Amino acid sequence: MKAFNGTNVIKKQFSLIFVKFTVCFLLLGLAYRLILSNFEQFSQIEVKNTSLFSDNTLPLPPVTVNEPLVTVNEPPVTVNEPPVTVNEPPVTVSESLVTVDLPENQTLRNGTCDLFIGNWVYDPSGPVYTNATCYSIESHQNCMKNGRPDTEYLNWRWNPRDCELPRFSPKKFLNLMRNKSFTFIGDSIMRNHVQSLLCILSQEEEADDVYHDEQYKSRRWYFPLHDFNLSVIWSPFLAKSTVFENDNGASTDITQLNLDKLDDVWTQQFDNFDYVFIAGGKWYLKSTIYLENDKIVGCHNCPGKNITQVGFEYAYRKALNTTFKFITSSKNKAYTFFRTTTPDHFENGEWNTGGYCNRTGPFKEGEVDIGYVDEVMRKVELEEFERASEFGLKMKLFDTTLLSLLRPDGHPGVYRQYQPFAVENKKKKMQNDCLHWCLPGPIDSWNDIMIQML
């Protein structure tokens, strides 16, 4: 009897253990299904958002850089087609202008960004304006109207290496500039830049031309809907100078430059400026006599004069030092950009010795070296800017030298003249312009960078 009862107890205990094991097994199976279900839900969300991490830049097409000088006699090229819009969010369209507003968290890829280091990427949407939609393009930069036959130079946008650069939004810029003034001070490259900005802004609001000097070198425009004044002041040396040139720009005597005195044409107005864009440049390469304390201290390229040759580097450094001291000590703390030198792309000579620029595509980073003169000028600019920063200079460095170096295709070349290969022009001596920029053209990307810095 006792043995029988013991056997029953053992069976009951075994049954109880089996039931517990079965319940545990079922609970584990249920937990596994729940975990798998949640994992699949998270996986679907992650896949749906992969577009946030995709590369929005287009692939680079083949670039031909060793082509002969373009000598095709074709009628002026005018493009009246609206820019191509891409149906990807987020895109805002204002009439014919396309602006892409990227989320702030997509602006920087790695937490830091140098806006001036990168490459030019192909952009089939093209420029936001043409010679048919902008009235302010000067004839020498109006390459399309003047008959330039190729148009691929219009389809490249600057792309910094470590961040996305949104396209310039004229609406945002004009709202930012409401009740303000923005003044560009410098030479003809500065005027080239202002014309680019005017063309882009005209897609949002047309400006009134309210002032110009006799030679149309200094000008001012007014945007009434935003109470915004935009101006350019002609001061190629920034310092006080006496220039002896005729109406065609030919020198009749050697220029005299006061390295310790600034040009009153901009310093006397500086207190009225809210935003300033300033630069020196290529005028320092001209034959010039230098003065300090109204006494001659040397010259650059002045053969036949009994004056010590000191070179343009000395003069440029002195003038920039004087300029930065003035801006630093001014009571008006205008938001100020300083732009570095703009390289030219003359090949097989200079502007007056048969040099030309006939390339039809950009270089890639590392494919071209900066020229000696531009390297020296940029070195002086960076050193003086850094020195002034140590003494409280509050300016933004606009270092477009290297990104501009990559665009030999963006200059007018012979198309600074209207229809240079027309029959009536065959006997005329054609001058190439491999310094200024076609409009529209590469200089438009400077505005993309500028508004990003603002």
Side-chain angles (χ1 to χ4, degrees), residues 278-310:
I278 196 166
K282 292 293 194 290
W283 275 65
Y284 278 86
L285 304 180
K286 289 177 174 284
S287 298
T288 309
I289 295 174
Y290 303 133
L291 297 91
E292 293 183 61
N293 295 320
D294 295 323
K295 296 181 179 179
I296 295 176
V297 294
C299 71
H300 170 63
N301 192 25
C302 54
K305 304 283 186 180
N306 188 22
I307 303 174
T308 303
Q309 291 269 0
V310 296

Side-chain angles (χ1 to χ4, degrees), residues 6 64 95 100 125 205 220-221 234 243 248 254 261 294 318 324 336 351 359:
T64 303
E95 297 179 353
V100 180
S125 65
E205 181 186 355
R220 182 165 63 88
W221 298 266
W234 173 257
V243 180
N248 296 322
I254 192 168
K261 297 180 181 179
D294 295 323
K318 282 276 188 178
F324 292 155
T336 306
W351 68 272
R359 298 181 185 267

Side-chain angles (χ1 to χ4, degrees), residues 187-250:
D187 57 15
S188 55
I189 295 294
M190 198 65 78
R191 192 165 65 242
N192 200 179
H193 188 181
V194 170
Q195 290 164 12
S196 166
L197 181 60
L198 275 171
C199 285
I200 298 175
L201 294 179
S202 68
Q203 311 306 302
E204 182 68 27
E205 181 186 355
E206 290 282 359
D208 297 330
D209 191 345
V210 294
Y211 168 80
H212 62 80
D213 62 8
E214 186 177 353
Q215 295 181 316
Y216 285 80
K217 290 185 175 181
S218 293
R219 302 181 66 175
R220 182 165 63 88
W221 298 266
Y222 180 65
F223 293 80
L225 297 181
H226 294 82
D227 188 25
F228 169 51
N229 285 281
L230 176 65
S231 58
V232 58
I233 295 178
W234 173 257
S235 184
F237 289 106
L238 301 179
K240 181 181 179 181
S241 62
T242 304
V243 180
F244 303 94
E245 289 187 350
N246 58 26
D247 293 337
N248 296 322

